[in-house]
Amino acid sequence: ITADPKTETGSSAAYDKYMSKQHNILAGDIIFDDLAERFANKIYGSEKGDLRLTLLWEDLQRHITLLSTATGLEVLDAGGGLGQMSIKFAREGHRVLLCEPSVEMMTRATLAIQESAVPETVISLAKCPLQTLSTQFPGRDFDIVICHAVLEWLAEPLPTLGSLLPLVKPGGFLSLAFYNVESIIWKN
């Protein structure tokens, strides 16, 4: 499962060419290509990571219930990383667009999606920076936009947040989660 931001089909070479044109958008942003293994093993491959996902999912259940329709929801997983939340939504019968700028994270998400056995038609993948979503998918909006542990890695988080808001359908929800800088206290 690979996707070009414009057509939702493509190859790694097309993505690399596209990303080389995006250097001004990504200047100063931290992309997880070099951190993917650490992120997968030390953060999400731990009890703490499992707990984080469980708590986020439980919190989202209330909003999913309020919005649910017979045909399912449209969900944007902006900066979807390893794809865990996308897979959870897909298993519930919702359609998901997972956006991730990191080639390595997208590769890991693709493998996780394939291993999850959710139908490939339920999760679409887009390798593109969050800052370009509204231009990559004009006129598209979502019942739920997820942006978990992403904004703190961006050089300019507020404009990015502003670019996500128009992607939320009227009456929909934007779910934000941030790294807790105070968590170091709990680590000791």
Side-chain angles (χ1 to χ4, degrees), residues 29-182:
D29 291 356
I30 296 174
I31 305 300
F32 276 60
D33 282 332
D34 295 333
L35 300 170
E37 185 171 345
R38 180 180 183 279
F39 194 77
N41 296 332
K42 297 213 176 202
I43 296 173
Y44 284 106
S46 68
E47 287 181 23
K48 178 179 147 186
D50 289 341
L51 178 61
R52 177 187 179 275
L53 287 172
T54 299
L55 293 173
L56 285 169
W57 187 248
E58 286 177 5
D59 189 49
L60 285 168
Q61 287 301 308
R62 177 176 38 139
H63 303 293
I64 294 168
T65 302
L66 288 172
L67 294 172
S68 283
T69 66
T71 59
L73 301 175
E74 295 285 332
V75 179
L76 170 62
D77 193 354
L82 301 171
Q84 302 101 318
M85 295 304 285
S86 292
I87 292 167
K88 285 182 176 292
F89 274 98
R91 284 185 174 144
E92 297 276 323
H94 308 296
R95 292 165 309 285
V96 182
L97 172 61
L98 187 158
C99 165
E100 174 58 51
S102 165
V103 173
E104 182 59 29
M105 294 295 270
M106 184 63 83
T107 299
R108 289 171 182 263
T110 300
L111 291 172
I113 292 164
Q114 290 169 345
E115 290 171 4
S116 75
V118 296
E120 289 186 19
T121 57
V122 179
I123 301 177
S124 300
L125 302 176
K127 293 180 187 172
C128 65
L130 274 59
Q131 297 94 325
T132 67
L133 280 170
S134 60
T135 57
Q136 299 303 319
F137 301 99
R140 187 112 183 246
D141 56 7
F142 302 86
D143 299 295
I144 298 177
V145 174
I146 302 166
C147 187
H148 293 169
V150 176
L151 294 178
E152 63 267 29
W153 300 101
L154 303 179
E156 306 231 2
L158 288 179
T160 302
L161 177 59
S163 72
L164 291 175
L165 293 175
L167 298 171
V168 181
K169 286 181 182 177
F173 293 97
L174 171 63
S175 176
L176 294 175
F178 300 89
Y179 174 73
N180 180 358
V181 295
E182 305 298 331

